[in-house]
Amino acid sequence: MKSLALKGLTALAIVGAAGLYITRPQTVDTDTFAALTPDPAHGAQVFTASGCASCHMAEGSKTPLILSGGQRLASPFGTFVVPNISSDPEAGIGGWTLDQFASAVTKGTSPEGQHYFPAFPYAAYQKMTDQDVVDLWAYMQTLPADQTPSQPHEVGFPFNIRTALGGWKLLFTPKDWVMPADTPQLERGRYLVEAQAHCGECHTPRNTLGGLQHDAWLSGAPDPSGRGKVPDITPATLGWSMGDIAYYLESGFTPDYDSAGGHMAHVVENMAQLSASDREAIAAYLLALPN
Amino acid sequence: MKQIAATAAAFGLVAALATPVLAQDMSANIKARQGQFRILALNLGVLGGMAKGELTYDAAGAQAAADSIVGVSMVHQPTLFVEGTDDMSVEGTRALPVIWENTDDFAAKWAALGEAAKGMQAAAGTSAEAIGAAMGPLGGACKSCHETYRTP
């Protein structure tokens, strides 16, 4: 009897260990990124399309390239306080290696080997090309250093157990594209929407565990702050033409000349810096969504 | 004792009557400010349509639209944005409470709209291209205020 209990415990320990092993924080393959030649000028474009500054600049900042952090993102799981990712070696990420950066952005794993909370949109960024990640890192190292220390997240039990995020990642961060794309324009739009601009993070509803509902992609969601709604941007509901969408992303004006507000105002600032053909590609992608 | 009860009842009645009157007053302020934004949107529609080539450029029409935007930008905002008319206190508004915590910045953002409107006023009568160039700063003024002071 005693030995049966012991066997049971051993089996449980093995299953638990296997679970921990499967869901352990992943890092990138060391040689992949080092072999690429960085292009910081292109990295600036990646940085803008990916909206890094919108969350990582200080709240209400007039200097969006100082990535000192501190914005507070309210959610049903607690409040995430955006960290400093300036080039400061102590307060920011200036002391990181390329591999550590790539693991953070594409695997959601910190240099200390911990899972990041998915408020950091690595579910999208994992779809970026290796070259874009290398270029982004080269560009971000040219940005100013800022010494503001990062503040801890205000996330309570049980969501503060970072080990559990390994299972969450397995369940909710598939690397496959959500939408098919059979023209170069749709492919470009898909890359911008799904891999970089991470539109789905706010415009797609989430399940009770906070995983994105890919079968309701971009069909609108409650605002994570608990007030208001993020709009449904599938074509039948939105009812905008390709020109309407592209002009909105450039100017912030809706077809009836209301103007973007809240966090979307930041998004428009970023999208306005992309090329006209990129904005049209995003519009084409949105118009191809199922209703 | 009876007197006290009567006084209390009278106060209660006054309070009950006063509350809807007060709410009505504020709804007029909210309507007025939402109306002014609608005037801005309609005139921006004329200018934006011409800039995009969806409407035929017409110097007089463009000038009238730009002048109207300047006119709205001169309306004194504290009369419309009275305290207690934020989205946490009343229904039917998207104005965030933070407006009343940063009244100086809110006023500065409104002044920036005035500057951008004057830029449009100078451009509108010249060409559709000039309107297009002046739309950028105007849109920027709308965004910079909405990003902080209006719900998404």
Side-chain angles (χ1 to χ4, degrees), chain B residues 3-145:
Chain B
Q3 175 116 37
I4 294 173
T7 314
F11 267 114
L13 189 65
V14 169
L17 285 175
T19 312
V21 169
L22 197 64
Q24 224 166 39
D25 279 350
M26 300 211 288
S27 85
N29 303 43
I30 293 170
K31 262 189 225 162
R33 75 191 185 210
Q34 291 176 346
Q36 73 175 354
F37 290 119
R38 184 51 60 191
I39 299 174
L40 290 179
L42 290 171
N43 286 289
L44 283 165
V46 173
L47 295 163
M50 289 185 193
K52 284 193 275 180
E54 292 166 357
L55 296 174
T56 314
Y57 176 69
D58 144 38
Q63 193 64 57
D67 291 349
S68 301
I69 291 169
V70 172
V72 170
S73 77
M74 290 166 69
V75 174
H76 185 58
Q77 294 302 301
T79 316
L80 309 183
F81 285 89
V82 287
E83 280 221 61
T85 58
D86 57 86
D87 76 322
M88 300 295 260
S89 309
V90 290
E91 292 289 311
T93 178
R94 294 160 76 190
L96 290 172
V98 70
I99 292 174
W100 290 271
E101 290 162 27
N102 301 326
T103 47
D104 288 351
D105 183 59
F106 187 68
K109 295 238 154 70
W110 185 258
L113 170 70
E115 288 308 306
K118 282 181 197 149
M120 179 60 85
Q121 194 174 34
T126 57
S127 70
E129 290 71 39
I131 292 175
M135 283 300 274
L138 261 180
C142 300
K143 276 205 300 284
S144 79
C145 197

Side-chain angles (χ1 to χ4, degrees), chain A residues 80 101-110 114-128 162 164-170 172-175 194-196 198 201 206 212:
Chain A
F80 300 100
F101 179 76
S103 296
V105 170
T106 65
K107 306 282 183 186
T109 298
S110 74
Q114 266 198 331
H115 292 298
Y116 283 122
F117 287 113
F120 177 30
Y122 48 78
Y125 296 160
Q126 65 171 338
K127 299 178 184 178
M128 267 205 264
R162 290 192 188 241
L165 285 166
W168 190 93
K169 285 179 179 175
L170 270 184
F172 302 127
T173 60
K175 207 179 167 179
E194 293 191 23
Q196 294 190 323
H198 57 280
E201 297 286 321
R206 292 175 184 274
L212 289 175

Side-chain angles (χ1 to χ4, degrees), chain A residues 59-128:
Chain A
E59 182 73 54
S61 169
K62 302 207 166 36
T63 49
L65 295 182
I66 299 179
L67 306 171
S68 55
Q71 285 189 46
R72 299 168 61 79
L73 307 179
S75 85
F77 309 101
T79 297
F80 300 100
V81 186
V82 183
N84 181 332
I85 56 162
S86 77
S87 59
D88 189 90
E90 299 299 323
I93 63 172
W96 289 14
T97 65
L98 170 61
D99 286 345
Q100 287 174 333
F101 179 76
S103 296
V105 170
T106 65
K107 306 282 183 186
T109 298
S110 74
E112 296 77 32
Q114 266 198 331
H115 292 298
Y116 283 122
F117 287 113
F120 177 30
Y122 48 78
Y125 296 160
Q126 65 171 338
K127 299 178 184 178
M128 267 205 264

Side-chain angles (χ1 to χ4, degrees), chain A residues 4-223:
Chain A
L4 196 65
L6 197 66
K7 272 182 193 160
L9 272 177
T10 312
L12 207 64
I14 289 170
V15 170
L20 282 175
Y21 180 78
I22 293 166
T23 64
R24 75 196 184 285
Q26 306 285 322
T27 51
V28 297
D29 182 30
T30 311
D31 299 327
T32 318
F33 289 87
L36 298 167
T37 309
D39 174 357
H42 182 252
Q45 190 275 335
V46 175
F47 180 84
T48 303
S50 304
C52 310
S54 303
C55 285
H56 285 280
M57 67 181 183
E59 182 73 54
S61 169
K62 302 207 166 36
T63 49
L65 295 182
I66 299 179
L67 306 171
S68 55
Q71 285 189 46
R72 299 168 61 79
L73 307 179
S75 85
F77 309 101
T79 297
F80 300 100
V81 186
V82 183
N84 181 332
I85 56 162
S86 77
S87 59
D88 189 90
E90 299 299 323
I93 63 172
W96 289 14
T97 65
L98 170 61
D99 286 345
Q100 287 174 333
F101 179 76
S103 296
V105 170
T106 65
K107 306 282 183 186
T109 298
S110 74
E112 296 77 32
Q114 266 198 331
H115 292 298
Y116 283 122
F117 287 113
F120 177 30
Y122 48 78
Y125 296 160
Q126 65 171 338
K127 299 178 184 178
M128 267 205 264
T129 63
D130 294 349
Q131 184 66 54
D132 275 2
V133 174
V134 168
D135 294 350
L136 177 61
W137 174 235
Y139 172 69
M140 287 179 68
Q141 287 173 295
T142 70
L143 294 178
D146 181 280
Q147 296 186 344
T148 312
S150 296
Q151 301 298 319
H153 299 307
E154 294 159 20
V155 176
F157 184 82
F159 303 114
N160 58 354
I161 307 170
R162 290 192 188 241
T163 317
L165 285 166
W168 190 93
K169 285 179 179 175
L170 270 184
L171 287 172
F172 302 127
T173 60
K175 207 179 167 179
D176 313 325
W177 297 112
V178 180
M179 285 283 293
D182 50 15
T183 67
Q185 187 184 47
L186 282 174
E187 269 180 37
R188 178 65 186 155
R190 178 173 71 178
Y191 188 74
L192 286 161
V193 169
E194 293 191 23
Q196 294 190 323
H198 57 280
C199 312
E201 297 286 321
C202 290
H203 284 279
T204 298
R206 292 175 184 274
N207 61 28
T208 46
L209 290 174
L212 289 175
Q213 294 174 262
H214 291 101
D215 56 351
W217 188 239
L218 300 176
S219 66
D223 192 280

